Amino acid sequence: MLDFSCSCSTPSSSSNTCSQSLGYYNSWHFQHSLVHFHFDLTMELDQERISDDSDGENDARSHSQLVSAITKIDFGNKFDGALRKDPANASEFDQLKSKKTKKAKKDLTIKALKSAKTISLRQNQSQKKISTVAKPQEKIFVEKLKRSEGYIKVTNELSKWDNVVESNRVADQLEFPAFNKDLKVHETNIMTSITAPKTELEKKVYSMLEQNGYIAPKEEEPQVNTNQLTLEETMTKRRELADLKRKTNQYQRKVSLQNKIKSRNYRRIKRKDKMRQQIKEFESLKDKHPEEALKMLEAIDKTRVQERASLRHKNTGHWAKNQQIRAKYNKDIREVLAQQIQLSRELSQKVKRPDEESTDEGESEDEGAAAPHPDLDWEKEKQNPESGADVASFVSGYKKFWEEKNQKSAAKAKSDKEEMPEQPEAEENSASQEKLCVDVEEDEHLELMEDLLEVRKNQKEFEKNELGKNLRRKANVESVSKKEKKVKRQKKSAAAGSGSWLESEISVTDLFDKLEQKQEEAIEMSLKRLRSQVKEMENKEKDEEEADAPSNKKKKKKKGKNKSSKNEPKDVFGLKSLRQTEREVSKSSIENPITEGTDKQSSNVEKNDVLNSKVFKAAPNRFENIDPTKFLDPKPLKSSQGELVVIGGEDLDADPISQDQKAMLAELFADDDVIDDFQKEKQELNEASKPKEVDLTLPGWGEWGGSNLPVSTRKRKKFILKPKVELPRKDRNLRNVIIYEGKDSGINQHQVSELPYPFTSVKEFEASIRAPIGRNWVPETAHKKMIAPKIVTRAGQKIEPMTIDVLLKEAKEEEKMKIKTKPK
Amino acid sequence: MRPSIYNILLVGGVVLLAVGQVPASDEKGDYSHCEKFSGYFMKYNVCAKGRYLVDEEAVKFVLEIDNQKYFDKHISVTSLPGKHSKTQIFTMKVKMLCRNPDQYIRETKNDLHKMQRNYDPDLHPLEAPREYKQALNAVKLERVFAKPFLCCLDGHRDGVTCVAKHPERLSTVASGSYNGEVIIWNLASRKEVARIKAHEGSVKGMTFDPSGENLITCGDDKTIKIWNTDSDDCKEHKASSIIVCTNSIFSISHSRDSKTFVTGGEVVQLWDGVKVIPDVTTHWGVDPIHCVQFNPVETSLIGACSSDRSVIIYDTRQATPVRKLTMKMKANKMCWNPMEAFNFTAASEDYNLYSFDCRNLSKPLVMHVGHTSAVIDVDYCPTGNEFVSGSYDKTIRIYESHKTTSREVYHTKRMQRLTCVAYTHDSRYIISGSDEMNLRLWKAIAWQKQGVIKPREKAALEYNNSLKEKFMTHPQIKRIANHRQVPRHIFNAAKEHKIIYQKIKRKEFNRKAHSKPGTVHIKASKLKAIVKEDE
């Protein structure tokens, strides 16, 4: 009857099925099975009680049965085999178990045959109530499970650092300890709150200071907060602002348009308005400030006069307009109008003094040098432009001025070296100056001579004539040659310049012609004068001679003859022993006035030029040995970013004296003969590189005759090694190049033999090496970036290990990135 | 009397040659007469030894200019002397490489000199060779300045066993010795601050708590002692608390962020700072643990080295070990990377160090070779990119954490077997303790200049460093940079090890060559060190 279904599944099956079974499960299972067993027992007893309820005296019997059943229970055998099992499912382990189980199985089958119904019912019941319970795990397995589970947890947790570690590994630069980038900027109100008194003492002090006026009491500024304005208010404000802007713009436009008006009528009206305004002001000023009023009056008058002057005889007045209408039909009136125009033209023409023409042109070129002299103004006013006769007197008044001016121009000429077009003018300048100077000197001399000597009338005619002829001839020749020179120069400059010069050339040549004529005239004039002077002087001399001793007379005659034979006007002055100073002055002024065309006072450059030329004429033998091909042409450096500009000094070749300079250079560097050295070097290399025969013959060896015999053909064939024919040198046709064809063994040890790790091609690696990082080759910022160290640490600061904050920061940044990248 | 050139002035590209009698006393000469030509003038004391020819009308100079680089070799006389009573001044036009002084003359003395550059690469055809030369010089200088040894701290009466860095103060370091003494040092003054008779027998392990107030030591006498280093008690050898344990303790490590510390001995025990009884006692296997290390980043992890050749990882939250790795040879010490939570390096008895990712213990990341004897101690640089190791072969080596070979080897004649090494918290110095009772202080970068470095110097050093890096693949530079003078015994041992290694390789190759293809698999040498990974 009694059935202990509290069976336990085999340990093997439990371990297979229940992976989660842990140690403490086993004990629980045992307790559970006990309870179960008790429950089953009472259930069955109840059933029996129900079935046999009719007989009441059965109580005692049933009790005894229960007791016996309980006593029959063997707690020690609780794991003994399953009582009932499907034979098909029975494991081999069960088969091998005790006989007891076999017997029980038999009983079970018999019972099952007897009442299948009850059995099936019971089976159902038992299946409902009993679940399979695992056998307690062995400790090692349990621990192993626990560990592996823990390890998985740990690895998962550690993986959260992956990103940070990875980013740190690839970072260009790591800073330790990490620099805190969340810097705060203190606003002013925070700062003031900091400085505001806080403690009581501070407050007291503060209030006292405030009372005494040491501190300005705090003014609470009305806070204008745009955020607090309503929409309407802001709109009106904006409208107002826009209106204001529009108005200002309008006004500006109006004013600018008014300024552009070209109408004469409008302008006249305007002017009149202005005049009226000024008059009004003048009226008002008259009483208050009479002095200022006077000034104003002057100003008004001046403007009026100017206006009048500008409009004079322009046929713009009322009368003229009326006449114009009539002029159509009246010839007389037409003539009158024409006269008017003529007059206006005459009046408006610039007034020029004819005597100043030549100098003015020179002056107009160099405006800076020819500043208006204060003395000149009043003199100009005085001077009648028509009176060209007494030039000398005019000039004598300006001697000082001229000297100053010449000095200035000389200085300027010295500084400026591109005076090709200016030079002739400068010369003209000087020529005119000479003339003037001559006049001055002559005048002085005449006076002196008059004082010293008496006039002599009887003079030898042939001498006179000769002198005059010579002088004339010479002057003509010189002037012609000079003219030619000038023309040549002009052409030269024109050729050097662009086409625009051609026009000016013509005008300039014309100008020159004119100047030539004038000069000639001046020369003739001076010649005349000289002639007369000579006459006078000779007359005087004669007189003197007559007075003095005859020996003296002879000497002087001789002198005069000698000098006249030299045909130089200077000799005229050399005849007489004048005062030393005067003599010098005259010398300097008239020293070869025609031949050289220059003066000491004129441009220094010219003189230098002359001197230079002299120098090279004087020492020509020095340059004879210099080969012009032997110094290198300085070629400008060319680069991809444009021409390299050499600062400091003008272009040597552009100078007219470049040839001279080249020659000079050649002399300066006569010692270092670069090209010759190079050629020598090249030749030596060429010789050295030529393959040579190797002679291995031993004299006398293998021969009977002795040592001085010629080498036998056999030996020659065998022991004189002929070199292999090599390719000719690559630089054989290149004049200025040496190509080293052999390998430089010294460089081998510096060369990389294997491609280093991160590079995949030699090209890449070479490019990386070629890219410079120094500040000589890359800009400073790039350089700094490139040399930035990978790890930056600060001395004396502890570097903390990584903390969880890093992860939090990264998460935040990621979020930010997400927000940024999100499409709207 | 012939005039002589006594100086040359370059005035904006024009040479003024002052010719006259040289005043004997005044070497520089009188330039006052030159000033009228120009407001300023640069002075080049170029030459006074020119050949000169004096004519009546012309003067020509043939100059032998020393400093020819300033000139373009185009010198000519453009104008000739005027008649001066005392001196004659000639201007010479010199076509030279001249610049506007405004571009390079600094305004004040404190300014840097302006440097005008033309970066056009066509103008610098030899930039790479020039940089190479600079790199070569830099690397040579590096070797010249490589003087890593700073000082020796002597005071122990027995060999040093362990060092502990103060977590807050960079200059404070504690060291324990075999005779049970602990000395607290001030590195800046190189003096001992306190000397404590801490234990009977040797001091096995030491650690500071995160605040740095307490020093926790453990020793042979089965006690854990906590010393308050700030008070005077420790000087009187009074520990603030003593924990007596039932088993011996060989190692101790404190968590970075809590009061917990861990001890390793016969068992691994987790202690709360206050309690006398351990919170957790756990162990895996029977062999004693001689090294425990708290992970500084992931503070629940503990790494331990056991005498059964294993490295064990513990998790404090589960209070259990999680994984064990058995190696061929014992790991003497392990150290976590302070910037990479999952990486650690183990110093092995087989002369090598092995870096692991603790998520994949069966495959070491890198095998660091170089030592010629057992590696005793290892400590990571706080930046995490380097570590230092001390070996039984009497050398200290510094490795980059991802490289096989060491970048530096330190040794001195007097330094014996290393017992402990430590990287200071500022990553600048290395402390080493050795058998012969001394603590030594080294520079982490051998050639680094001590003290304040001015910005320009710093920039120059940085440039040199990057040049070295750029050209490190070039044989000459590599050779100079990697060359180290080592003691003979190390040199010989290294040679021997190389032979042994070659022998092994040869044998492997031969075996593979003479057996059926596919049957012999050659393991990488770093994998050979691993026996098994236990779950």
Side-chain angles (χ1 to χ4, degrees), chain A residues 276-447:
Chain A
R276 250 175 248 142
Q277 194 70 29
Q278 277 179 327
I279 288 161
K280 256 187 197 173
E281 276 176 35
F282 168 70
E283 299 268 300
S284 63
L285 271 174
K286 215 158 64 173
D287 302 330
K288 292 169 192 171
H289 307 285
E291 283 177 17
E292 279 185 29
L294 202 68
K295 274 182 194 171
M296 192 145 189
L297 190 67
E298 273 174 19
I300 292 164
D301 211 38
K302 206 179 172 184
T303 51
R304 196 188 61 79
V305 165
Q306 274 178 345
E307 197 195 330
R308 287 295 306 159
S310 67
L311 293 174
R312 236 184 334 182
H313 311 293
K314 285 267 155 98
N315 291 350
T316 49
H318 279 291
W319 172 83
K321 274 176 185 170
N322 289 334
Q323 297 302 316
Q324 267 173 344
I325 294 160
R326 281 183 208 168
K328 240 183 186 176
Y329 314 103
N330 199 338
K331 204 182 176 183
D332 296 340
I333 287 165
R334 244 180 272 165
E335 274 175 14
V336 168
L337 279 174
Q339 265 183 355
Q340 284 284 319
I341 288 162
Q342 180 76 23
L343 198 64
S344 82
R345 214 169 274 164
E346 273 171 26
L347 285 169
S348 59
Q349 221 161 21
K350 255 193 180 178
V351 183
K352 268 190 184 178
R353 276 193 300 267
D355 63 297
E356 263 193 338
E357 258 182 3
S358 61
T359 52
D360 273 357
E361 276 157 356
E363 272 175 84
S364 62
E365 289 292 324
D366 40 7
E367 291 163 347
H373 201 272
D375 300 329
L376 200 64
D377 288 327
W378 62 268
E379 201 63 46
K380 260 184 189 171
E381 281 163 27
K382 269 187 183 176
Q383 203 69 34
N384 188 2
E386 245 73 275
S387 65
D390 39 9
V391 179
S393 65
F394 166 70
V395 165
S396 67
Y398 289 102
K399 201 183 168 189
K400 200 184 161 191
F401 167 68
W402 276 116
E403 274 169 5
E404 277 178 14
K405 217 212 110 185
N406 281 332
Q407 273 175 359
K408 271 182 191 173
S409 67
K412 215 198 166 186
K414 206 178 181 184
S415 64
D416 292 344
K417 289 183 180 176
E418 22 89 322
E419 71 252 278
M420 272 319 265
E422 282 178 353
Q423 258 180 355
E425 280 155 16
E427 277 169 39
E428 285 148 27
N429 240 344
S430 59
S432 63
Q433 284 157 29
E434 282 152 29
K435 193 187 86 189
L436 298 174
C437 289
V438 164
D439 291 345
V440 174
E441 303 308 333
E442 278 163 19
D443 286 356
E444 282 172 2
H445 282 300
L446 285 174
E447 281 166 22

Side-chain angles (χ1 to χ4, degrees), chain A residues 147 150-151 157 161-162 169 639 668-669 671 750 769 771 773-774 776 791 793 798-799 802-803, chain B residues 51 61 73 75 117 120 131-132 167 256 298 317-318 338-340 343 358-359 385 425 428 470 535:
Chain A
R147 286 196 301 258
Y151 184 65
E157 242 172 56
W161 299 99
D162 272 340
R169 275 181 191 165
S639 76
L668 285 170
F669 294 98
D671 286 350
H750 294 281
I769 291 297
I773 55 171
N776 285 338
I791 289 170
T793 56
K798 193 202 166 187
I799 301 164
M802 197 179 272
T803 51
Chain B
R51 273 200 288 129
F61 303 99
K73 277 198 168 184
I75 300 169
R117 309 271 189 217
D120 181 5
E131 283 206 328
Y132 173 75
R256 194 164 75 90
E298 197 66 53
R317 289 167 299 185
Q318 295 169 61
M339 289 293 158
E340 295 168 9
N343 288 355
C358 73
R359 295 168 299 178
N385 65 327
H425 283 304
R428 301 257 167 142
K470 185 184 170 188
E535 284 185 0

Side-chain angles (χ1 to χ4, degrees), chain A residues 501-529:
Chain A
W501 281 95
L502 289 169
E503 260 184 70
S504 64
E505 195 196 346
I506 299 154
S507 61
V508 170
T509 45
D510 288 350
L511 213 125
F512 281 146
D513 290 347
K514 275 182 193 172
L515 282 168
E516 294 300 337
Q517 281 179 354
K518 268 174 196 169
Q519 259 182 346
E520 274 174 55
E521 280 170 20
I523 289 160
E524 275 177 12
M525 284 278 285
S526 62
L527 276 174
K528 269 182 193 171
R529 234 177 253 161

Side-chain angles (χ1 to χ4, degrees), chain A residues 24-43:
Chain A
Y24 61 89
Y25 269 113
N26 288 340
S27 56
W28 179 84
H29 184 228
F30 175 62
Q31 283 168 4
H32 181 74
S33 60
L34 264 181
V35 172
H36 199 134
F37 155 74
H38 186 71
F39 179 72
D40 277 357
L41 202 66
T42 45
M43 276 266 287

Side-chain angles (χ1 to χ4, degrees), chain B residues 34-221:
Chain B
C34 296
E35 277 176 333
K36 66 187 170 190
F37 285 89
S38 170
Y40 61 87
F41 53 87
M42 279 160 48
K43 193 184 78 183
Y44 281 80
N45 283 319
V46 185
C47 83
K49 51 166 183 178
R51 273 200 288 129
Y52 53 87
L53 310 162
V54 180
D55 250 13
E56 283 181 352
E57 293 165 316
V59 178
K60 297 193 184 303
F61 303 99
V62 181
L63 298 172
E64 288 167 13
I65 294 160
D66 297 2
N67 216 346
Q68 276 194 359
K69 65 179 174 179
Y70 294 107
F71 296 87
D72 209 6
K73 277 198 168 184
H74 298 283
I75 300 169
S76 60
V77 180
T78 52
S79 72
L80 292 157
K83 283 175 185 172
H84 294 263
S85 54
K86 285 180 183 175
T87 55
Q88 287 176 312
I89 297 166
F90 312 106
T91 56
M92 278 185 88
K93 200 155 78 180
V94 174
K95 204 167 185 184
M96 66 168 210
L97 308 174
C98 99
R99 299 169 287 161
N100 182 3
D102 292 342
Q103 288 173 338
Y104 58 84
I105 287 180
R106 50 187 180 171
E107 283 176 5
T108 66
K109 206 171 73 179
N110 298 325
D111 290 349
L112 288 179
H113 285 287
K114 289 177 201 165
M115 299 290 263
Q116 299 292 322
R117 309 271 189 217
N118 191 343
Y119 298 121
D120 181 5
D122 292 351
L123 300 178
H124 308 289
L126 293 173
E127 50 200 355
R130 280 173 71 186
E131 283 206 328
Y132 173 75
K133 186 69 193 170
Q134 280 184 26
L136 205 61
N137 288 341
V139 82
K140 281 174 186 170
L141 280 179
E142 177 197 308
R143 288 295 90 213
V144 167
F145 290 120
K147 303 259 185 282
F149 181 67
L150 283 176
C151 70
C152 174
L153 306 168
D154 58 334
H156 279 296
R157 288 154 198 163
D158 209 335
V160 181
T161 55
C162 52
V163 281
K165 298 174 277 183
H166 195 280
E168 299 294 327
R169 286 177 237 146
L170 288 169
S171 59
T172 305
V173 155
S175 64
S177 78
Y178 284 114
N179 63 358
E181 258 185 350
V182 168
I183 298 177
I184 296 166
W185 302 92
N186 186 344
L187 293 180
S189 61
R190 300 170 185 186
K191 277 173 188 167
E192 58 177 66
V193 178
R195 184 189 284 267
I196 310 161
K197 178 68 190 153
H199 292 281
E200 295 296 322
S202 65
V203 181
K204 285 289 182 185
M206 271 194 313
T207 183
F208 276 99
D209 70 341
S211 66
E213 268 179 40
N214 297 316
L215 176 68
I216 307 164
T217 60
C218 62
D220 272 347
D221 53 359

Side-chain angles (χ1 to χ4, degrees), chain A residues 144 146-151 153-162 165 168-169 174 176 417 608 611-612 614-616 618-619 622-623 632 634 637-642 644 646-652 655 657 661 664-665 667-669 671-672 674 748-753 756-757 765 768-780 783-784 786-791 793-804, chain B residues 12-13 51 53 55 57-58 60-64 68 72-80 92-100 115 117-124 126-128 130-132 134 136 166-168 170 256 284 295-298 300-301 313 315 317-318 320-323 338-343 357-361 365 382-383 385 425-428 459-460 462-463 466-467 469-471 473-476 533-535:
Chain A
K144 199 176 181 181
K146 263 179 143 182
R147 286 196 301 258
S148 50
E149 214 176 294
Y151 184 65
K153 244 187 223 173
V154 166
T155 48
N156 286 341
E157 242 172 56
L158 282 172
S159 299
K160 75 188 170 192
W161 299 99
D162 272 340
V165 168
N168 276 0
R169 275 181 191 165
L174 287 175
F176 295 111
K417 289 183 180 176
N608 282 340
L611 282 172
N612 273 338
K614 263 188 183 177
V615 166
F616 296 118
R622 274 183 207 163
F623 301 96
L632 296 163
L637 281 171
K638 270 181 189 173
S639 76
S640 64
Q641 296 180 359
L644 187 78
V646 180
I647 315 155
E650 294 135 48
D651 201 359
L652 286 173
D655 283 340
I657 47 169
Q661 278 197 336
M664 213 180 298
L665 271 176
E667 204 205 353
L668 285 170
F669 294 98
D671 286 350
D672 40 344
V674 186
N748 266 350
Q749 58 178 348
H750 294 281
Q751 280 175 328
V752 182
S753 53
Y757 158 60
F765 174 65
S768 84
I769 291 297
R770 224 181 298 119
I773 55 171
R775 46 146 53 124
N776 285 338
W777 305 289
V778 291
E780 191 70 20
H783 165 69
K784 272 185 180 164
M786 280 191 272
I787 63 159
K790 280 208 163 174
I791 289 170
T793 56
R794 295 191 192 91
Q797 286 200 34
K798 193 202 166 187
I799 301 164
E800 292 281 352
M802 197 179 272
T803 51
I804 201 85
Chain B
R51 273 200 288 129
L53 310 162
D55 250 13
E57 293 165 316
K60 297 193 184 303
F61 303 99
V62 181
L63 298 172
E64 288 167 13
Q68 276 194 359
D72 209 6
K73 277 198 168 184
H74 298 283
I75 300 169
S76 60
V77 180
T78 52
S79 72
L80 292 157
M92 278 185 88
K93 200 155 78 180
V94 174
K95 204 167 185 184
M96 66 168 210
L97 308 174
C98 99
R99 299 169 287 161
N100 182 3
M115 299 290 263
R117 309 271 189 217
N118 191 343
Y119 298 121
D120 181 5
D122 292 351
L123 300 178
H124 308 289
L126 293 173
E127 50 200 355
R130 280 173 71 186
E131 283 206 328
Y132 173 75
Q134 280 184 26
L136 205 61
H166 195 280
E168 299 294 327
L170 288 169
R256 194 164 75 90
W284 188 349
N295 189 327
V297 186
E298 197 66 53
S300 63
L301 284 184
I313 292 160
D315 188 0
R317 289 167 299 185
Q318 295 169 61
T320 50
V322 289
R323 189 125 307 196
M339 289 293 158
E340 295 168 9
F342 38 77
N343 288 355
D357 184 339
C358 73
R359 295 168 299 178
N360 185 11
L361 286 168
L365 297 170
T383 58
N385 65 327
H425 283 304
D426 60 351
S427 82
R428 301 257 167 142
E462 278 171 5
Y463 178 43
S466 37
L467 278 180
E469 206 177 316
K470 185 184 170 188
F471 290 99
T473 47
H474 286 66
Q476 284 294 300
E533 189 186 358
D534 290 323
E535 284 185 0

